[in-house]
Amino acid sequence: MIELEQLQHLVTFQECQTLSKAAKQLHISQPVLTRSMQKLEEELEVNLFNRTKNKIAFNETGLLAVSLAKRILDDTKDMKKQLVDFDRKLHTFAIGSCAPAPLSYLSRKFSQFYPQRTLLTEIKDMYILIKGLKEKDYTIIIMPYDIENEQIESIPFMEEQLFFSLPLNHPLAHKKSISLKEMDGEKMLLMSNIGFWNDMHKKTMPHTKFLIQNDRSVFYDLVELSTLPSFTSDYVMKTEIMPQNRVIIPISDAQSHATFYCWYLRENESQLRTLLYHL
Amino acid sequence: MIELEQLQHLVTFQECQTLSKAAKQLHISQPVLTRSMQKLEEELEVNLFNRTKNKIAFNETGLLAVSLAKRILDDTKDMKKQLVDFDRKLHTFAIGSCAPAPLSYLSRKFSQFYPQRTLLTEIKDMYILIKGLKEKDYTIIIMPYDIENEQIESIPFMEEQLFFSLPLNHPLAHKKSISLKEMDGEKMLLMSNIGFWNDMHKKTMPHTKFLIQNDRSVFYDLVELSTLPSFTSDYVMKTEIMPQNRVIIPISDAQSHATFYCWYLRENESQLRTLLYHL
DNA sequence: AAATGTTACGGTTTACGTAATTATC
DNA sequence: GATAATTACGTAAACCGTAACATTT
């Protein structure tokens, strides 16, 4: 049977033009190449070269063989790549979320129960999440409302309440609670990549200019050093150290509260049971 | 590097479902297959199977691997076939002719000078011959007229003269020569596959009914046993044994004589020199 | 003299099959 | 007890690199 190694030799030979150069490039000795090419000709039952005493050159058939060999070698390299990709996808647990807090929570849970598995997490728009769940790009998606149908099941696992974080000398700093509307129009600091909260802010506070920060530590520095109002949440306050020069005031609107649900395909229920049980 | 043998093992395993059956089919021992599959997994850096103590079954990745492997194996089998075909075509000498006599003559010459090469001969319509020569389906074509242009050269190498072959008691049997027109209207015996002569007969003797014979020996039997007129030629008379109960009479028309030319592409002149020189 | 390809030879590696082992039906 | 897969082990085949050789530039 022909072997891929021989085809690789053939292609390298063609690229290098002489057996000796090809041998160097392949890190083998010339005699090996001589024999390899002889064997290939035997197995293919065709002459691939014009040989003189100390010269060996490709004939037409040989050149055709090179082009066919290249294709086969490419295919096998592709094969490996495809399999590795497929396998990774198979063993990767992908979580898509509409917000950062529940994703952070679920990630931690996940790594407790499946420490060896690869985890992929994303914050995306909700319509993308739903599409991705159906197409099995996500094993689980995190949504701020529930659902129940033939394919999809959802279970609630976490709540999050937003607060305003105001500097001590802010005019509203003394209040017990503040509505979104009351704050609308002020400049505010905001983290980027906060999922559906972003949409909520834009809708409920259309006159506010949000100063978006990508970097979390820069965001915290700005919160501490500037006098700009910002948002925080009960989850963030539990998990992060909060600055001292701020007043935390509840937001009165219902939109500032979310219940997060795990959505998953019923067909995957068995493999998810452990995780779901411990949420 | 992955080897094709491993891929073949993989595919056979999938077809047989167990390693032992696959081993039998491949005429090797189980341990070889066990190791072969282990090595394949190592090289691909993926698990292809679900193993229990005495069971090994394909997982999803394994099944994908099988389908990819099949494609590669098919490609390599194709590769061999393509190369053999290409090589044969490269080494095949193809002669197309407008008539049987010069083809028979040239074939004999050819096998004298290139006894080891494969020869392919065909009698075809002249427009097909010219097309085939240009497209290199034919190395040489035999035509009843000459040509001379940039690509094609022609050299005359043989003449053929047709005769009527009449039974002894035929009304015209006594004549020194006969024209085609004189015989037009009579039933005649004719060999099939006689190339351009066929067109000539149809044109010059539109009222004659030709009784076409495929088999040469049947044709000769009929010539000998029937009283139907037929054609023969100087070439045929030289190479075949002629029946005794016939009169051979020259045909007076110019169309009954042909000079045959070898046409070939100038670019092939060097490889044809030996043959052309000895025509 | 330098470079190229092929053949010869010796030693190591590889790879095979048999046999033994473990597990399942 | 029969079948299946894996592991262990000794032997035979394969393969590689060095060296020697033959040609060519």
Side-chain angles (χ1 to χ4, degrees):
Chain A
M1 186 176 235
I2 314 168
E3 285 304 345
L4 293 174
E5 200 174 26
Q6 293 173 289
L7 299 185
Q8 183 60 64
H9 288 176
L10 183 80
V11 170
T12 308
F13 173 28
Q14 196 275 319
E15 286 165 358
C16 299
Q17 289 299 317
T18 74
L19 287 185
S20 16
K21 282 175 197 157
K24 273 175 199 159
Q25 186 163 326
L26 290 164
H27 304 294
I28 55 175
S29 65
Q30 281 114 317
V32 172
L33 262 189
T34 297
R35 289 189 291 259
S36 179
M37 295 300 94
Q38 286 169 342
K39 208 174 160 195
L40 189 60
E41 283 182 302
E42 265 179 46
E43 277 159 347
L44 290 172
E45 295 170 36
V46 232
N47 291 328
L48 301 173
F49 314 107
N50 296 322
R51 296 167 198 272
T52 59
K53 283 289 175 187
N54 74 334
K55 201 147 198 119
I56 170 170
F58 282 81
N59 66 21
E60 286 190 72
T61 314
L63 292 175
L64 176 60
V66 169
S67 69
L68 296 174
K70 275 182 182 165
R71 211 180 92 93
I72 291 170
L73 288 171
D74 286 349
D75 280 359
T76 48
K77 277 162 206 155
D78 273 4
M79 176 180 182
K80 174 158 182 185
K81 204 169 156 326
Q82 270 194 63
L83 288 176
V84 169
D85 284 354
F86 182 85
D87 190 63
R88 174 175 302 137
K89 202 170 175 187
L90 216 58
H91 296 303
T92 296
F93 202 99
I95 304 178
S97 178
C98 66
L103 184 58
S104 149
Y105 172 78
L106 200 56
S107 299
R108 200 150 357 120
K109 282 285 174 193
F110 176 85
S111 50
Q112 282 171 26
F113 291 105
Y114 308 98
Q116 78 295 352
R117 290 188 74 176
T118 310
L119 176 64
L120 183 141
T121 66
E122 289 178 335
I123 293 174
K124 293 275 178 185
D125 282 344
M126 292 190 276
Y127 75 95
I128 294 177
L129 295 177
I130 295 173
K131 187 158 162 279
L133 181 66
K134 287 179 180 166
E135 291 174 1
K136 301 186 187 177
D137 289 330
Y138 299 122
T139 323
I140 280 180
I141 62 174
I142 299 167
M143 297 285 285
Y145 58 93
D146 67 348
I147 193 176
E148 203 77 35
N149 66 28
E150 279 180 10
Q151 300 118 41
I152 303 172
E153 180 137 32
S154 66
I155 57 169
F157 71 101
M158 179 178 154
E159 315 247 327
E160 188 175 21
Q161 173 64 50
L162 291 197
F163 295 82
F164 283 117
S165 162
L166 304 181
L168 298 174
N169 60 350
H170 191 277
L172 302 177
H174 64 282
K175 297 197 71 175
K176 282 275 179 299
S177 78
I178 306 175
S179 73
L180 293 161
K181 201 172 177 183
E182 283 177 273
M183 287 289 290
D184 190 21
E186 291 202 39
K187 271 190 191 158
M188 288 190 73
L189 283 171
L190 194 65
M191 271 299 295
S192 70
N193 209 30
I194 55 170
F196 89 120
W197 291 126
N198 203 33
D199 302 330
M200 191 275 276
H201 293 324
K202 277 190 197 149
K203 258 186 221 153
T204 56
M205 307 176 75
H207 307 99
T208 288
K209 166 130 191 210
F210 293 107
L211 305 174
I212 308 283
Q213 268 307 318
N214 271 308
D215 190 305
R216 186 161 286 266
S217 71
V218 172
F219 176 77
Y220 287 142
D221 284 348
L222 284 175
V223 167
E224 192 143 11
L225 298 171
S226 79
T227 57
L228 289 166
S230 66
F231 292 100
T232 188
S233 83
D234 49 359
Y235 181 84
V236 174
M237 289 189 282
K238 265 199 294 190
T239 53
E240 309 273 354
I241 298 152
M242 289 292 110
Q244 295 303 311
N245 59 341
R246 288 271 165 167
V247 194
I248 307 300
I249 300 173
I251 299 174
S252 52
D253 310 70
Q255 289 112 308
S256 69
H257 180 270
T259 304
F260 293 111
Y261 298 81
C262 265
W263 289 22
Y264 57 90
L265 296 180
R266 285 182 193 281
E267 59 185 273
N268 291 331
E269 183 161 11
S270 58
Q271 65 165 117
L272 293 173
R273 198 162 298 146
T274 318
L275 179 66
L276 297 174
Y277 184 78
H278 290 91
L279 282 180
Chain B
M1 187 176 237
I2 313 170
E3 287 304 344
L4 293 174
E5 199 174 28
Q6 293 173 290
L7 298 185
Q8 184 60 63
H9 288 177
L10 183 80
V11 170
T12 308
F13 174 29
Q14 195 274 321
E15 285 165 358
C16 297
Q17 289 300 318
T18 73
L19 287 184
S20 16
K21 282 175 197 158
K24 273 175 199 158
Q25 186 164 323
L26 290 164
H27 303 294
I28 55 174
S29 65
Q30 282 114 315
V32 172
L33 263 188
T34 296
R35 289 190 290 259
S36 179
M37 295 300 94
Q38 286 169 342
K39 208 174 161 194
L40 189 60
E41 283 183 301
E42 265 178 48
E43 278 159 348
L44 291 172
E45 295 170 35
V46 228
N47 291 328
L48 302 172
F49 315 105
N50 296 323
R51 295 165 199 271
T52 58
K53 282 291 175 188
N54 73 336
K55 199 147 199 122
I56 170 170
F58 282 81
N59 66 21
E60 285 190 74
T61 313
L63 292 175
L64 176 61
V66 169
S67 68
L68 297 174
K70 276 182 182 165
R71 211 180 92 91
I72 291 169
L73 288 171
D74 286 349
D75 280 358
T76 47
K77 278 162 205 155
D78 272 5
M79 176 180 182
K80 173 160 181 182
K81 204 169 155 327
Q82 269 194 62
L83 288 175
V84 169
D85 284 354
F86 182 85
D87 190 64
R88 174 174 302 136
K89 200 170 176 186
L90 217 57
H91 296 302
T92 296
F93 202 100
I95 304 178
S97 178
C98 67
L103 183 57
S104 148
Y105 172 78
L106 200 56
S107 299
R108 199 146 4 117
K109 283 285 175 196
F110 176 85
S111 51
Q112 283 170 25
F113 291 104
Y114 309 97
Q116 79 294 353
R117 290 188 74 176
T118 310
L119 176 63
L120 183 140
T121 66
E122 288 179 336
I123 292 173
K124 293 276 179 185
D125 283 343
M126 292 188 278
Y127 76 94
I128 294 178
L129 295 177
I130 295 172
K131 188 159 162 277
L133 181 67
K134 287 178 179 166
E135 291 174 0
K136 300 187 185 176
D137 288 330
Y138 299 121
T139 322
I140 280 181
I141 62 173
I142 299 167
M143 297 285 286
Y145 58 92
D146 67 348
I147 192 176
E148 204 77 37
N149 66 28
E150 279 180 10
Q151 300 118 41
I152 302 172
E153 180 138 29
S154 67
I155 57 169
F157 71 101
M158 180 179 152
E159 315 247 326
E160 188 176 20
Q161 172 64 51
L162 291 197
F163 295 82
F164 282 118
S165 161
L166 305 181
L168 298 174
N169 60 351
H170 189 278
L172 302 177
H174 65 282
K175 295 197 71 173
K176 281 276 176 306
S177 79
I178 306 174
S179 72
L180 293 161
K181 201 172 178 184
E182 283 177 273
M183 286 290 289
D184 191 19
E186 291 201 40
K187 269 189 193 161
M188 288 191 74
L189 282 171
L190 194 65
M191 269 301 293
S192 70
N193 208 30
I194 55 170
F196 88 118
W197 291 126
N198 203 32
D199 302 329
M200 191 275 278
H201 293 326
K202 277 189 196 149
K203 259 185 221 156
T204 56
M205 305 175 75
H207 306 100
T208 288
K209 164 127 190 214
F210 293 106
L211 305 174
I212 309 285
Q213 267 307 318
N214 271 309
D215 189 304
R216 186 161 285 267
S217 71
V218 171
F219 177 77
Y220 288 141
D221 284 348
L222 284 174
V223 167
E224 191 145 11
L225 299 172
S226 79
T227 59
L228 289 166
S230 65
F231 292 99
T232 186
S233 83
D234 49 358
Y235 181 83
V236 174
M237 288 189 283
K238 265 199 295 189
T239 52
E240 308 274 353
I241 298 153
M242 289 292 112
Q244 296 303 310
N245 59 343
R246 289 269 165 168
V247 195
I248 306 301
I249 300 172
I251 300 173
S252 51
D253 310 69
Q255 290 111 308
S256 69
H257 180 269
T259 303
F260 293 110
Y261 299 80
C262 267
W263 288 23
Y264 57 91
L265 297 180
R266 284 183 193 280
E267 60 186 270
N268 292 331
E269 183 160 10
S270 59
Q271 67 165 116
L272 293 174
R273 198 163 296 145
T274 318
L275 179 66
L276 297 174
Y277 184 77
H278 290 92
L279 282 181

